[in-house]
Amino acid sequence: MLLYETIADGLRRQIAQGTLRAGERLPSVRQLAQAHQISAATAVQACLQLEREGLVQARPRSGYFVHAAPSALPALPTPRRRAPGEVANPALQRLLELPQRPGLFPLHAAVADHSLLPQASLSVALARTTRRRPTAALEYAPPQGDPALRRQIALRYEQTGTPMQADEVVVTAGATEALSLALRVATSPGDVVLVETPTYYGILQTVAALGLKVLEVPNRLGQGIDVARLDRVLQQTAVRAAILVPNFSNPSGSLTCDADKQALLASCARHGTVVIEDDVYGELAWSGQRPLPLRHWDTGGNVITCGSFSKTLAPGLRVGWLAGAAWTEALGRAKYFSSSSNASLPQLAVGDYLARHGLERHLRRLRRAVADNGQRMRDAVARYWPAGTRCSAPAGGLSLWLQLPAGGDGLALFDAALAAGIGISPGVLFSSRGDYGDCVRLSCGMPWDARLDQAMRQLGRLAARQTASAR
């Protein structure tokens, strides 16, 4: 055994025995070198070996930290209803507006913290736009959106090898409006819409508001959309549209592989089902490699792609988009009759920012920060939450999906956390039927600090108290 392997083996045993626990820092390279009388290069090789094995994680300017022990992923309930039906989930009404009280620690909001977003550059872009283009900034924007911004949006997709023309992009007030407009154009009240389960509650609220019926197919944690189940459902039921989130589904963070993306597109095309792609998290790959959108393989104009800068630049600017090739004219009309157009200033400022700065440098920092924080939170679940808690292992996005041990109640934990000043999202929100009563979603969009560590400790104590009293 080489010297670095001997050092790595000793650290590996300490991790296995619990001497070094999840989230704890390994001895520094200097400490290892001094303790074992080895060179710094040998100490680094030992740490790199453990990193390759997935036992530790390097954090910039901080050292190496122990990963959470791999835990079982949250389980999906067996589907209980196959017939289409209305969204029937009272929790969507009870918790329509999650608390926004001052001082609430916001682990319920799947957004990146303001400290991770380019606030200074966007402020400069807003000021520059107001100064240099005061008339345009205060006039109505074109109904389809500012042409320069639409070119920048199309260019982002072109850079992935995904064809998109600026003329087909329609700017919207965030991704939720984009999804709503796509559904209005592609469906009529009473039509059946297919969604994933679990899925973002905003999708369910939109489907319900438009008088549509819903069918659910599983999004398997760590694997993505269950394409075989999707095809069987389409064979049995006439489904007008499918709202799918193949890239880092909310709340699970699952990524659907390219082969399955192509298979589900083929299945939807065969059965005459329009695909509405929610690509709002597509840029937030924790690996740094942006996955391809469904549109990349769409040759028949059957995909309407929706996205937003809310998760990557600034949620308050409300700049989203949709692009639907053959659907462009109808989508443009729907936008015009819905709200005429978006505010001009945010569009001009975002377009200015993209033209001057691009996104890549900012996205590299944002992806690293969210991935690092997500792993720290998973480590905290392993340290502080009751034994048997299951946690997702996202490939991207801004969420962790947790399943509590037997007897756990996500709504009860939500209420207890709220009383303690912490916001979380109960799992029942993420199903049309109110499933996932033993689950919760946590946002991992905040940078790790002492306050977040304390919040995770407190949530763990509340979860342990609840599950103990249920036994």
Side-chain angles (χ1 to χ4, degrees), residues 384-385 413 416-417 419-422 452-465:
Y384 303 144
W385 289 52
L413 183 58
I422 304 171
L452 178 51
D453 181 80
Q454 179 58 33
M456 292 298 290
R457 286 175 184 264
Q458 193 160 7
L459 287 173
R461 287 194 293 267
L462 293 173
R465 189 180 307 157

Side-chain angles (χ1 to χ4, degrees), residues 73-310:
L73 295 177
L76 290 176
T78 302
R80 295 191 298 269
R81 185 181 69 203
R82 297 182 183 275
E86 296 178 353
V87 175
N89 185 350
L92 290 173
Q93 295 300 319
R94 175 189 166 194
L95 303 172
L96 189 60
E97 295 181 2
L98 288 177
Q100 300 293 332
R101 66 177 66 174
L104 186 69
F105 198 74
L107 292 181
H108 62 285
V111 294
D113 186 71
H114 63 86
S115 65
L116 302 179
L117 300 175
Q119 287 186 304
S121 296
L122 285 170
S123 295
V124 170
L126 285 162
R128 183 168 47 235
T129 299
T130 304
R131 184 176 64 254
R132 295 184 179 181
R133 304 183 64 185
T135 301
L138 298 176
E139 288 183 339
Y140 286 120
Q144 201 169 328
D146 176 63
L149 174 61
R150 287 159 48 209
R151 283 195 298 272
Q152 290 293 334
I153 292 169
L155 180 61
R156 288 298 301 171
Y157 285 94
E158 290 281 355
Q159 290 169 348
T160 70
T162 301
M164 183 177 289
Q165 300 297 318
D167 287 346
E168 64 178 296
V169 177
V170 178
V171 178
T172 63
T176 299
E177 186 189 33
L179 292 169
S180 177
L181 293 176
L183 280 171
R184 290 182 192 182
V185 166
T187 67
S188 299
D191 281 347
V192 177
V193 175
L194 184 144
V195 303
E196 302 163 32
T197 184
T199 195
Y200 171 52
Y201 52 79
I203 290 176
L204 297 173
Q205 290 167 337
T206 301
V207 168
L210 294 176
L212 300 166
K213 296 179 180 178
V214 68
L215 268 178
E216 296 180 331
V217 296
N219 186 305
R220 302 160 298 173
L221 274 70
Q223 301 177 63
I225 300 163
D226 188 336
V227 177
R229 177 72 63 85
L230 178 145
D231 188 66
R232 288 198 297 273
V233 166
L234 295 185
Q235 290 179 37
Q236 297 165 1
T237 307
V239 175
R240 180 55 186 151
I243 303 181
L244 302 175
V245 194
N247 292 334
F248 318 127
S249 179
N250 177 4
S252 69
S254 294
L255 174 64
T256 303
C257 70
D258 287 353
D260 283 349
K261 288 177 182 176
Q262 295 173 71
L264 70 85
L265 282 176
S267 180
C268 288
R270 265 196 318 273
H271 297 287
T273 300
V274 179
V275 177
I276 300 173
E277 176 181 19
D278 182 352
D279 194 38
V280 71
Y281 294 104
E283 298 277 18
L284 291 180
W286 289 10
S287 69
Q289 182 63 46
R290 201 254 199 252
L292 293 170
L294 292 176
R295 181 190 172 93
H296 182 80
W297 294 280
D298 178 37
T299 57
N302 198 45
V303 175
I304 301 174
T305 298
C306 304
S308 170
F309 291 114
S310 295

